Amino acid sequence: MRKMKRVFVSLLMVTLVATLFAGCSNSSKNSSNESSQPDSTGKTQSTSDTDKTEVVVWNFTFKTDEQKAEIIKGFDALGKNIKLTFKPLPQGTTEEIDQKLVTNLIGGEKIDIFDGYVSQYYNFTSKGLLEPLDGYIAKDNFDANALGESNIQMSKIDNKLYGLPYIKSKFMLYYNKDLFDKAGVAYPTDDWTWNDFREAAKKLTSGEGSNKIWGFTMPDWPQTWGGMATQTGLKYVNPDNTLNLDKPAFKDALQFKYDLSMVDKSGPSLAENKTTKTHYAKQFSAGNIGMLISGDWSIGQIASNQNNDFKFKYDITNIPHPEGVAKGTTFGAPRYLLMNSKSDQKTKDAAWEVMKYLSSEDVALILAKYAINLPALNTPKVEETFLKNLPDFVGNGKMVLENVPYVEELPMHVASNAINKAMGEEAELALTGTKSIDQAIADMQKRATDEVNKLVKK
């Protein structure tokens, strides 16, 4: 009997200890998934992740786990009853990404917010996939113009805004100070015209073979010459959906780019770029290119190419402009935060809270710290943080964040991708001497018009 009693007591002790450990384990588990936050009366409540409204952001702006963790930590500190989750956007060409996004959005995949470029903004709006934001903006008296008034105005479709342009880009002029000094050419000013640029490129060009010094380089994209035309105030597409590609400003711009590389031979031709397949920023980073026309993102590319151990000094200034155009007038395509219109209203309300945070100064400071993407919001703190991340010899870094007149980089139209493709393919034939400038302009006008008519004049 005594033996049975000892066994019973032992089993009871084991059960009590197991229960105690289980309790500790559950307590530990709960504490890792709960947060304390004030309710509407100011009293503190405990909320687990499972009680929160999850907002999933498909994103490619925030590159590393470190950046995402920093952003999630900042958002959690706001005490919202919302769980923020990042997922990467699909990879591929623009058309492939578009198709994958549409498939997932229509298929009911959990996408509450996603990054989108101009083509997606207009294309997805036409398909009813994006939530209009005007009601949310008015309800919270949100200052959307703080993200850049010109970008906000350009982004309105039928006077409605379907995304927050929280990332901006800015085309500008990079120049190798060492090569300018060696050639005895005065540094570019913030008020250079394209003719000033052309003359300097010719003076900088010298040598042959491994000693070759080029005056300039730029991406092969159609917007590098199309932007010269839109700097004059011309749009790619008129409000009545007619195209402007056959206007003199576009023809002159394409002719100008042809003359730079095919007549002056002051920069690598398109054919040479296709043969060597060398990226424009890598060309400039090699130290034998006097000037680079590119966007703000090349600051990070140059630093990465040189592993932050710079072999030459460079600086930046405003992109040149056509005669008679205000200095600083540049082109750049915004990147948007877009909200899925198919989400339920509770999730949409939570998504709006996340969108406000992702376009706030807190996140702009994180972007400025890593100097990879240019936040649309510019404040003294953002500027100070951004400048700290530039090489010491870059003396004109403030110009990157300055508010200047913006014009279209890409067609702000539902047929943006198709128009851009027609421009690129026809310009390639012209810039390699396969087709005359006149014929290429006429053909791209016709092709782009046909594409627009397919989409808007059915």
Side-chain angles (χ1 to χ4, degrees), residues 64-102:
T64 66
D65 291 341
E66 181 185 8
Q67 293 171 27
K68 294 170 189 171
E70 195 170 346
I71 289 168
I72 290 173
K73 181 180 179 182
F75 183 74
D76 286 345
L78 298 179
K80 307 283 185 182
N81 193 28
I82 299 168
K83 180 185 177 184
L84 169 58
T85 302
F86 285 112
K87 287 191 174 181
L89 269 179
Q91 301 293 309
T93 64
T94 305
E95 290 80 7
E96 289 169 345
I97 294 172
D98 286 3
Q99 187 57 51
K100 290 174 184 175
L101 275 171
V102 169

Side-chain angles (χ1 to χ4, degrees), residues 21-36:
F21 272 102
C24 290
S25 174
N26 288 336
S27 174
S28 175
K29 181 178 180 181
N30 286 340
S31 66
S32 68
N33 288 281
E34 287 184 346
S35 62
S36 297

Side-chain angles (χ1 to χ4, degrees), residues 109-313:
E109 188 71 23
K110 177 69 172 167
I111 311 173
D112 303 308
I113 300 171
F114 59 100
D115 274 350
Y117 283 117
V118 167
S119 61
Q120 290 152 351
Y121 179 73
Y122 282 85
N123 186 14
F124 291 6
T125 297
S126 73
K127 291 179 167 60
L129 297 173
L130 303 184
E131 177 79 355
L133 302 180
D134 302 272
Y136 301 91
I137 290 171
K139 175 174 68 70
D140 287 350
N141 198 24
F142 179 77
D143 183 12
N145 283 335
L147 302 176
E149 191 168 357
S150 58
N151 272 333
I152 291 293
Q153 292 306 315
M154 282 197 296
S155 300
K156 288 189 175 180
I157 303 175
D158 295 332
N159 209 31
K160 291 183 179 178
L161 193 65
Y162 291 85
L164 293 182
Y166 79 129
I167 301 295
K168 66 180 178 183
S169 63
K170 183 177 191 177
F171 270 80
M172 52 197 188
L173 171 60
Y174 297 73
Y175 60 96
N176 183 323
K177 298 170 78 170
D178 293 353
L179 291 183
F180 269 76
D181 291 341
K182 186 177 180 182
V185 179
Y187 294 158
T189 72
D190 64 355
D191 197 18
W192 257 18
T193 66
W194 282 112
N195 286 331
D196 294 327
F197 172 85
R198 182 177 183 179
E199 292 306 312
K202 285 192 285 189
K203 292 176 182 174
L204 290 165
T205 303
S206 67
E208 296 292 339
S210 60
N211 295 320
K212 183 70 179 180
I213 302 294
W214 292 107
F216 84 99
T217 191
M218 64 176 72
D220 295 328
W221 311 331
Q223 54 264 48
T224 54
W225 58 270
M228 296 179 196
T230 60
Q231 278 182 305
T232 66
L234 203 59
K235 292 183 176 297
Y236 291 95
V237 188
N238 296 311
D240 64 358
N241 293 311
T242 56
L243 275 293
N244 285 324
L245 301 180
D246 60 350
K247 296 290 190 296
F250 281 101
K251 178 187 170 184
D252 292 346
L254 183 56
Q255 182 71 58
F256 181 82
K257 187 165 184 180
Y258 177 90
D259 291 345
L260 285 173
S261 58
M262 300 295 280
V263 177
D264 301 344
K265 300 186 184 302
S266 57
S269 67
L270 191 148
E272 289 172 296
N273 287 340
K274 284 190 170 297
T275 300
T276 61
K277 297 181 179 177
T278 306
H279 191 275
Y280 52 90
K282 279 198 172 181
Q283 291 174 331
F284 184 77
S285 302
N288 65 334
I289 301 275
M291 296 180 286
L292 166 67
I293 297 294
S294 184
D296 52 276
W297 57 86
S298 284
I299 292 172
Q301 292 172 335
I302 295 167
S304 176
N305 291 337
Q306 302 215 9
N307 198 26
N308 283 312
D309 183 18
F310 296 95
K311 305 294 189 299
F312 62 90
K313 294 178 181 178

Side-chain angles (χ1 to χ4, degrees), residues 346-454:
K346 181 181 178 184
T347 304
K348 288 178 184 176
D349 290 338
W352 172 243
E353 295 299 322
V354 172
M355 290 176 77
K356 285 192 295 183
Y357 177 69
L358 294 180
S359 56
S360 70
E361 184 182 58
D362 287 348
V363 174
L365 287 169
I366 294 172
L367 289 167
K369 182 169 68 175
Y370 292 100
I372 295 175
N373 292 281
L374 198 61
L377 184 69
N378 183 17
T379 67
K381 282 185 178 179
V382 171
E383 182 175 287
E384 180 183 356
T385 303
F386 180 79
L387 294 178
K388 281 181 181 176
N389 286 283
L390 294 179
D392 292 340
F393 50 76
V394 174
N396 197 25
K398 290 183 71 172
M399 59 78 55
V400 180
L401 293 169
E402 284 176 353
N403 288 321
V404 293
Y406 266 86
V407 296
E408 286 183 341
E409 176 191 335
L410 296 165
M412 305 287 276
H413 192 272
V414 66
S416 180
N417 273 347
I419 297 168
N420 204 45
K421 183 179 180 184
M423 289 177 64
E425 291 176 352
E426 293 299 330
E428 182 174 322
L429 295 173
L431 294 172
T432 54
T434 308
K435 186 181 280 190
S436 71
I437 300 291
D438 285 341
Q439 191 60 54
I441 287 289
D443 290 347
M444 75 175 68
Q445 170 79 5
K446 182 180 184 307
R447 286 180 57 185
T449 299
D450 290 344
E451 295 294 341
V452 169
N453 288 342
K454 286 180 191 175

